[in-house]
Every structure is written in C-alpha cells, then in structure tokens.
Amino acid sequence: MLLLPGWLNSGEGHWQTLWESYFGDLRVQQHDWNTPRRGDWMARLDEVLLDQPRPVLLAAHSLGCHLVAAWAAHSRHTAKVAGALLVAPPDPAQDDWPAALRPSWNEPVLQPLPFSALLLHSSDDPFDRAGRAPALAQAWGARCISLGACGHVNADSDLGLWPQGRSYLRGLLGTAP
C-alpha cells in the first residue's frame, strides 16, 4: 500500500498517518510538501513504485488524487498498480486555489485511469465547494461515492483509523478497471 498525501503532507490524526503507523503502509515522501511541482511528485511516485516487489494499492488524499491522474497519464509503470482509492480531490478552479499550487496543478489531468479506482468525496468539502468531485471521477473512470458531510476527509473530520475507508480500499482488489 502506498499512501499519497496532498499539499503540506498528512499530519498527526490524519487517517493516512494512522494507516502508516497501524498497518505499516508506505507513505510516498515528497521532496517539497509546501510548493509542490507536479513533475517532481510524479517522478517520486515512479521511484517508490519501482522499488515495490509486487503490485500496490494507492491511497491518495486531496492533491494526491491529482497526482495519481497526472502520473497515470505519463508513466510506463501503471501495471504495477492494482487499484487506487481517491479521497477528497480538491477543485483547482476554486477561487482560493493556493498560490503555492499554481501553475503546476492548475489544470487537472482528465484521462481515464488504467486501473480500478474509487473516488470518495464529501458534500461539504471546503476545497471542493462547487462539488466537482463526481465530474473528476467520471473523467478518471472511477466509481464515485459520497460520504455525506465529512469536511475534507482529513484529521479535522475525526475519522480515526477510518475502517470504512480501509474497507473501500480492500474492495478495489476485486474490481476490474
């Protein structure tokens, strides 16, 4: 399992951090969490993926979802991915899109993913106020499930180990792309 945090990384109390410590999942450490460059993040994902002896599941949060889409459109190693859980992708068209993410992340990649994917989103995500997550899921060829009102599905959402998310992730193993 590879964990793909979003902008600024996933801190204490975030389900990704808890999964890393409790289940031993591997966080893809980026060189720059504050002013991320899409190409750098894609290259780092490729490096970590190539070090894995078997196919992996990806668990992406926030900007990590956009990383999966961009990486999958350019990598020659997508066959090493068994599936991806895409949680709370932000809307780059939102008027308060952070300057640190411009211009590298302004244009989302909108191509179908070559592996099974499930996108989970919240009805009150402050980083997707226009509710564009279902359109991203459609563009990426991912199944889409609303979690209801869960904020940004992060530490502030108080999910703890988030067993529901883990269950969704396990479900990807039995799904075809």
Side-chain angles (χ1 to χ4, degrees):
M1 167 90 62
L2 295 183
L3 301 171
L4 305 173
W7 179 47
L8 304 177
N9 202 349
S10 294
E12 191 175 323
H14 192 289
W15 57 268
Q16 286 183 319
T17 301
L18 297 174
W19 286 9
E20 180 181 28
S21 62
Y22 189 81
F23 298 110
D25 299 339
L26 178 63
R27 179 185 311 244
V28 175
Q29 292 290 346
Q30 296 293 347
H31 302 293
D32 188 349
W33 291 108
N34 297 322
T35 52
R37 294 177 186 234
R38 184 160 63 184
D40 292 346
W41 277 32
M42 291 165 51
R44 182 68 182 135
L45 176 53
D46 241 11
E47 289 172 12
V48 173
L49 187 71
L50 288 172
D51 283 344
Q52 304 312 305
R54 327 178 286 201
V56 300
L57 288 171
L58 304 176
H61 179 256
S62 194
L63 193 63
C65 300
H66 290 285
L67 167 61
V68 170
W71 170 83
H74 293 93
S75 179
R76 295 180 306 213
H77 309 292
T78 59
K80 290 200 74 163
V81 175
L85 183 68
L86 309 170
V87 182
D91 178 7
Q94 196 159 292
D95 60 0
D96 58 352
W97 187 244
L101 303 180
R102 296 182 200 136
S104 196
W105 299 93
N106 281 0
E107 296 295 325
V109 174
L110 301 174
Q111 296 177 12
L113 298 171
F115 40 78
S116 298
L118 173 62
L119 188 148
L120 303 176
H121 68 98
S122 169
S123 60
D124 64 348
D125 188 338
F127 300 102
D128 183 24
R129 289 189 305 271
R132 292 195 171 104
L136 289 172
Q138 184 175 12
W140 294 335
R143 288 186 316 134
C144 185
I145 295 176
S146 173
L147 299 172
C150 294
H152 193 47
V153 197
N154 58 8
D156 293 338
S157 303
D158 199 26
L159 300 169
L161 263 178
W162 196 32
Q164 179 187 26
R166 199 74 183 184
S167 178
Y168 281 128
L169 185 69
R170 281 192 305 270
L172 284 168
L173 291 174
T175 344

